[in-house]
Amino acid sequence: MTGSSGGRDGRAAVAVGGLWRIATFRAAFFLCLWLVLAGVNPADLPAAAAAIAAATWTSLHLLEPSRSRRSVTAMARLALLFLYQSVVAGVDVARRALDPRLPLRPGLVVYPTGLSRGMRRNVFTTLTSLLPGTVPTGEENGQIVYHCLDIEQPVVAELAAEEAALVRALYND
């Protein structure tokens, strides 16, 4: 029997196999999410199957699988950095709100991001919007404008550290 195991058809088979692996992973994620939110009830199986299939299909079309590898170590560091900064910033905001001797110096800070417009920048602004004390408010000349509770703090340096950690964790192409 003669046949080619390589070439164009072999690459297509690998690509399809990789797509099935990613689809299976995402379906398993949506199944876990369903179980956490709705619990285990055999009567819900048809609805769960339909919801998981629809969510998986939608995720594959809206967030196409990429060939880049995600760094688990970098993602863990990003999560720890985010948790640390959330706690520190939350305590700082609470102190400033409760202690009248600590002045608030609100204002706008322009951050010159290196991320292109689109999904990458949206992920970054979403992540930074969750940190207490800073809120992205828009763009100016391609840069992100943040409202801060204290403009004398090293906001730009902290945002740069967040951006670098995000790039290391998610976008190692």
Side-chain angles (χ1 to χ4, degrees):
M1 176 176 194
T2 62
S4 70
S5 60
R8 206 164 112 190
D9 294 336
R11 284 190 303 269
V14 170
V16 170
L19 183 61
W20 278 107
R21 183 179 52 79
I22 291 167
T24 302
F25 176 77
R26 291 185 185 185
F29 169 77
F30 289 125
L31 172 63
C32 292
L33 183 62
W34 178 277
L35 293 173
V36 167
L37 296 175
V40 179
N41 185 353
D44 291 340
L45 284 178
I52 291 166
T56 302
W57 182 86
T58 303
S59 79
L60 290 171
H61 284 78
L62 294 179
L63 184 60
E64 293 181 8
S66 70
R67 294 181 184 199
S68 66
R69 301 252 183 224
R70 305 296 186 244
S71 168
V72 176
T73 304
M75 289 175 71
R77 286 183 186 146
L78 176 64
L80 290 173
L81 176 66
F82 178 78
L83 180 63
Y84 171 77
Q85 286 187 342
S86 293
V87 170
V88 169
V91 169
D92 182 57
V93 169
R95 274 186 36 238
R96 290 175 188 278
L98 298 174
D99 189 350
R101 293 174 291 158
L102 293 174
L104 293 176
R105 292 175 289 277
L108 299 175
V109 173
V110 179
Y111 177 68
T113 182
L115 298 172
S116 60
R117 287 190 176 142
M119 187 175 68
R120 291 179 178 210
R121 189 177 291 191
N122 291 344
V123 168
F124 176 67
T125 56
T126 300
L127 177 70
T128 57
S129 72
L130 299 173
L131 294 172
T134 59
V135 176
T137 60
E139 288 189 18
E140 183 178 294
N141 299 324
Q143 299 177 359
I144 304 171
V145 179
Y146 283 87
H147 179 272
C148 306
L149 288 180
D150 189 352
I151 59 172
E152 293 184 13
Q153 296 297 311
V155 175
V156 172
E158 291 170 1
L159 291 170
E162 283 291 326
E163 181 178 357
L166 179 68
V167 167
R168 278 191 305 274
L170 300 180
Y171 302 121
N172 288 329
D173 293 329

